[in-house]
Amino acid sequence: MADLPEPFPQAAMPAFAHPSAAPYAIGAEERDAIAAAIDQDELVELALTLGNIPSPSRSEAAAASFVFDWMAHEGFRPRRVGATPDRPNIVGEYGGAGTGANLLFTAHLDTESPSGMPEQDAFRYRASTLADPEWTKCWLEDGQLRGYPISNDRGPMACFLIATKALRRAGIGLAGKTWLTACPGEIGPEPIEEFAGVGFLGKDIGAHYLFHHGGVAPDYAIAAEGTDFGLTWQGCGYALFRIRIYGRGLFTPVLDTPEAATEHPNPIYRLGPVIDAIHRWSRQWERDSVYERAGGLSQPKVQLASVRGGIPFDFGAGTEVCALYLDVTLGPQQKAADAYHGIVAAMRGVDLEGFDVEPVVVRHGFEAEAAQVAPLAGAVDAATRLARGAAVERAHPVYSSMWRDHNVFNMHRIPAITTGMPRWRPTPEDMASSALIYALTMLAVCGRGPVEQRGQGASTVYGDAPF
């Protein structure tokens, strides 16, 4: 590690975080010992190794096994907790031998990528996009780490794994317990239409399942994701609305083609006015939905995700049904019903034979209460000052305008934030800095306790000396 900055320069402190709120005050010797225990090369190697294990949504098993084996080798007592055996959550732990707050770190195993179903991907991506190596490959180039798996989300995962190892290497135990978790399905998918069943579950088998069945009891939680070292404790949800447009299918040879497309019986021809109406509503929704509090600025957005109408191989008579799928971001205080009423009103202004609107996916956003999350935010602020010589800043609005798994914990009244390294093209130094912040945050939240000894416990059911 490079020379460390002075921890608390005289500067205006941000209103949303204050180091004095941290449960435990870290000393300079502790800071230096932890920093010295972080091996930057080891961190980069771990991130690259983990990032180069293909792990698209629905195929996280190999990456999960790697994390399990790494935790077992390092003595963090991992276990598998899964709704299905091939998509487990991995849960490790460190500390807990004293009295202190418990902290949970989570990051997701799945990586953004094409679906892997050629018949679907061909209608979403250009061939050149599908060929982009960064979907599945990670490497170091010109001093920057490349590859989507590093950015989202196995780089931050590697950072908190190495952070915990650094605490043990420095001889620093934790009074409270830190859980280290790696979850499937944060990105998705979602069961929709014929793509249904357990095989298409995403978030429900990840952090949601972990919270209810993972044997964890955190006082605070951190979704370790790229935020450019910023911090936010609010997050958005989303709803996917299916808007079906009805018309009439007519055998093409008997069709009397109207002069205006809007008079055509085939509902596909009505898409222009429908999209215009939905677009006008979307712009109003975005203006009305901006939500700013101390913990973040959320700016919900709207976008059409898909369109379906007719069957290509059965093309003789048009179609009676055409469907649009509208992706609507929901702010921390918004309900799906709020968007539903607006979409229905917009559709009623279009000349159609019939329509219906249905939310086929709904996930609401959440936020922590400022006073309850203050000790955690203060711990990150103290850690950031100790590691980087500057106060933590509120994260860019994009990071409080999306779903991240801190929503799961805020939903259940566990104060939670998202914070981490630079999202795009991090350097090895960035990752080492993030690992140090995570390690210092663990100490600042959980407090110092006795160092655990690996292999503790009886080796047989009779104990060490039963007779």
Side-chain angles (χ1 to χ4, degrees):
M1 293 289 294
D3 292 338
L4 294 165
E6 289 300 315
F8 302 110
Q10 297 301 312
M13 293 188 179
F16 76 104
H18 196 294
S20 65
Y24 177 83
I26 300 170
E29 290 186 4
E30 292 171 318
R31 187 265 312 261
D32 294 345
I34 296 168
I38 293 174
D39 185 328
Q40 182 172 294
D41 292 338
E42 180 186 23
L43 171 57
V44 171
E45 181 182 1
L46 175 61
L48 289 174
T49 301
L50 183 53
N52 278 309
I53 300 172
S55 187
S57 291
R58 304 171 63 223
S59 300
E60 301 97 339
S65 292
F66 178 89
V67 174
F68 182 95
D69 292 344
W70 188 93
M71 287 187 183
H73 179 265
E74 298 299 335
F76 296 132
R77 302 188 296 276
R79 58 186 186 275
R80 293 179 174 88
V81 180
T84 63
D86 56 338
R87 300 186 70 193
N89 296 274
I90 306 301
V91 185
E93 57 185 61
Y94 181 66
T99 301
N102 295 334
L103 175 62
L104 183 145
F105 276 82
T106 189
H108 56 90
L109 292 159
D110 56 327
T111 300
E112 56 192 312
S113 69
S115 70
M117 297 183 286
E119 68 278 12
Q120 298 297 322
D121 291 338
F123 284 90
R124 185 178 180 189
Y125 299 101
R126 299 181 183 185
S128 58
T129 302
L130 287 170
D132 185 347
E134 291 203 54
W135 288 122
T136 57
K137 305 292 185 184
C138 301
W139 65 94
L140 183 63
E141 180 180 316
D142 296 330
Q144 295 178 319
L145 287 153
R146 303 280 297 268
Y148 299 137
I150 289 285
S151 298
N152 191 29
D153 181 32
R154 279 169 275 163
M157 184 185 297
C159 288
F160 71 66
L161 293 175
I162 290 297
T164 316
K165 181 175 180 177
L167 287 171
R168 169 169 277 157
R169 183 181 284 165
I172 295 175
L174 299 177
K177 184 174 289 188
T178 287
W179 281 284
L180 315 169
T181 71
C183 300
E186 190 267 0
I187 292 172
E190 297 278 11
I192 297 171
E193 309 296 16
E194 69 269 30
F195 307 102
V198 174
F200 284 92
L201 287 176
K203 294 175 173 59
D204 299 292
I205 66 171
H208 282 280
Y209 193 90
L210 166 75
F211 180 86
H212 294 289
H213 304 287
V216 298
D219 294 289
Y220 304 99
I222 294 177
E225 297 230 34
T227 61
D228 309 324
F229 296 113
L231 178 154
T232 179
W233 60 72
Q234 64 192 52
C236 286
Y238 53 86
L240 185 72
F241 290 90
R242 182 185 62 203
I243 305 168
R244 284 188 295 204
I245 310 163
Y246 296 103
R248 287 171 291 134
L250 290 175
F251 185 41
T252 303
V254 304
L255 175 66
D256 185 9
T257 304
E259 181 176 348
T262 54
E263 297 174 0
H264 204 291
N266 184 332
I268 293 175
Y269 284 77
R270 307 293 180 96
L271 282 177
V274 168
I275 290 172
D276 284 343
I278 292 300
H279 185 61
R280 287 192 297 271
W281 172 82
S282 299
R283 287 177 58 79
Q284 188 63 49
W285 174 264
E286 293 179 359
R287 287 192 292 268
D288 294 344
S289 299
V290 174
Y291 180 84
E292 183 170 19
R293 294 293 184 271
L297 170 62
S298 297
Q299 298 172 320
K301 302 295 178 67
V302 181
Q303 182 171 214
L304 284 166
S306 181
V307 58
R308 303 181 79 176
I311 301 173
F313 60 81
D314 186 6
F315 53 84
T319 183
E320 294 185 351
V321 183
C322 182
L324 294 170
Y325 295 80
L326 187 67
D327 178 13
V328 180
T329 307
L330 303 174
Q333 295 295 321
Q334 290 177 312
K335 306 186 298 294
D338 301 331
Y340 173 86
H341 293 302
I343 295 168
V344 169
M347 291 296 296
R348 285 175 177 161
V350 183
D351 182 17
L352 299 169
E353 292 192 21
F355 74 90
D356 63 30
V357 176
E358 181 179 335
V360 294
V361 177
V362 174
R363 295 193 184 277
H364 285 161
F366 296 89
E367 61 183 324
E369 197 279 318
Q372 294 180 0
V373 80
L376 176 58
V380 176
D381 188 38
T384 303
R385 291 168 183 270
L386 286 164
R388 298 180 62 81
V392 69
E393 297 182 357
R394 196 173 72 173
H396 188 281
V398 70
Y399 301 124
S400 46
S401 301
M402 64 173 72
W403 176 279
R404 282 182 166 174
D405 276 342
H406 64 307
N407 269 331
V408 173
F409 299 92
N410 284 326
M411 179 192 312
H412 294 291
R413 303 191 303 278
I414 308 300
I417 64 170
T418 182
T419 190
M421 65 184 209
R423 172 80 165 195
W424 186 248
R425 301 280 193 264
T427 66
E429 293 76 18
D430 289 331
M431 295 192 68
S433 184
S434 184
L436 179 56
I437 290 170
Y438 284 158
L440 294 171
T441 299
M442 293 177 194
L443 182 56
V445 170
C446 301
R448 188 160 184 174
V451 179
E452 300 174 358
Q453 299 300 316
R454 298 191 194 191
Q456 282 184 329
S459 59
T460 76
V461 296
Y462 298 109
D464 291 327
F467 307 114

